Amino acid sequence: RRMAVTSTCGSTAAFATQLFPCYSTGPRRWMSERSDKKVDQLDSKTDAANNNNNNEDEDDDGNLKPRVTTTTFGNGICHVRLNRPEKLNACDMAMFEAIAETAASLRRDKSIRAVILSGNGKAFCTGLDVKSVVRNPKSQIERLLKRPSGYSSCGDDGDANLAQDVSLLWRELPVPVVAVLKGMCFGAGMQIALGADFRFASPDCQLSIMEGKWGLIPDMGASVLLKELVRIDVAKELTMTGRIVTGTEAATLGLVTRVCKEDPMKEAEDFVKEFLLTRSPDAIACAKELYQSTWSNGSDKECLELETKLQRKLLLSWNQLAASGRSAFGVNVPYWK
């Protein structure tokens, strides 16, 4: 997960000192006194700036601002926005909990027909807010890695921890989820986006599986999500190098569904309105379940049996007949949710 510059340590020395206290009396000895002085001055300025930035997460009354906002329109489209624009939507613990809680809540909302997931401000998400985590690393890391997280539809039988559920829970929604990517999409942000059904990106959007730069592996569901999208050598190359790719290159690799030359948000909204909302919500839910259950695992027998099971569920239902009436006779029969 990438360290967001605006919300974490401003220098390598500051970052290492917080994670490894011995660093201040160990590796820095090789520096000249002049270099030490400059680094100390930079660290002091960075710490002061970050202390001021802590107030950006609070409103005028000192309450924590919502990390995620949702807006649902009458047509059933729900806009979900990551909401730490001052920190480029870097993920602190409150953000992790808010994303998982939002996804779990939407899973139970039968009025929703589609979700558009985006980030407020200049970026989708720049990864983990390291500075916020190192304030209390033991308890926060334990919360991120303990399984199950409690948010999955499987309850105590869930397979994923909190770090993974912020990506994987979007797959449990019985509606399509479209991630709109702009600015930067790094580390944790990249894996959250991979959990969506579709990704619409601007050509100059920067994307990276950046965990390797911090001596880590992507552990937020990448092993499940990447194998559905890219070849194994591509996954290894992006993970081992942590290199940044543009939205245009990401589309050629299979990471992005569509590159939008104009406005990715508008294209996502048009895609949902013109194509997805005009289809039976039952058929869309079953299509999502079918492919997610069979795409990268399952025997031929299991795949074929699931096809039949889901088709039996759809045949002669109200929404199947409504879809047929729309297609055959142009009659705008309403769908039921």
Side-chain angles (χ1 to χ4, degrees), residues 1 144-145 147 161 163-164 191 211 216-223:
R1 309 179 189 98
L144 284 172
L145 300 185
R147 70 184 71 245
N161 57 38
Q164 294 159 341
Q191 291 176 84
E211 285 79 0
L216 301 171
I217 59 170
D219 67 334
M220 294 174 58
S223 58

Side-chain angles (χ1 to χ4, degrees), residues 126-314:
T126 51
L128 179 68
D129 183 347
V130 175
K131 188 173 179 65
S132 72
V133 174
V134 299
R135 289 177 188 142
N136 191 2
K138 186 175 180 180
S139 63
Q140 295 198 60
I141 291 174
E142 176 62 21
R143 173 58 182 139
L144 284 172
L145 300 185
K146 182 181 179 180
R147 70 184 71 245
S149 72
Y151 289 108
S152 172
S153 59
C154 298
D156 292 339
D157 295 326
D159 296 325
N161 57 38
L162 177 60
Q164 294 159 341
D165 264 344
V166 296
S167 304
L168 297 176
L169 285 173
W170 303 109
R171 296 157 61 88
E172 294 186 6
L173 272 62
V175 299
V177 178
V178 184
V180 175
L181 311 180
K182 64 177 182 179
M184 291 166 282
C185 183
F186 295 153
M190 183 73 241
Q191 291 176 84
I192 292 170
L194 292 176
D197 300 297
F198 311 98
R199 283 155 296 284
F200 284 28
S202 61
D204 58 352
C205 180
Q206 296 180 306
L207 304 93
S208 175
I209 303 170
M210 198 166 277
E211 285 79 0
K213 288 192 174 183
W214 311 111
L216 301 171
I217 59 170
D219 67 334
M220 294 174 58
S223 58
V224 173
L225 302 168
L226 281 174
K227 66 183 178 181
E228 296 178 351
L229 300 173
V230 302
R231 302 190 315 261
I232 187 172
D233 60 324
V234 173
K236 287 178 179 178
E237 187 252 332
L238 293 174
T239 300
M240 293 177 183
T241 64
R243 74 182 181 89
I244 297 172
V245 299
T246 65
T248 300
E249 183 181 359
T252 65
L253 295 174
L255 294 172
V256 166
T257 310
R258 183 181 299 183
V259 177
C260 309
K261 294 182 179 180
E262 299 298 330
D263 181 1
M265 177 60 75
K266 183 179 185 305
E267 288 202 30
E269 291 175 340
D270 291 344
F271 170 69
V272 170
K273 292 175 183 177
E274 294 175 16
F275 297 102
L276 300 183
L277 294 189
T278 60
R279 300 293 184 261
S280 162
D282 295 341
I284 285 179
C286 286
K288 182 170 179 174
E289 179 183 352
L290 174 64
Y291 288 134
Q292 286 184 181
S293 300
T294 63
W295 197 260
S296 57
N297 53 46
S299 65
D300 288 353
K301 180 175 182 293
E302 291 171 330
C303 294
L304 297 174
E305 286 180 347
L306 182 58
E307 280 187 10
T308 301
K309 176 184 176 181
L310 294 173
Q311 195 75 304
R312 285 184 181 276
K313 180 180 177 181
L314 295 173

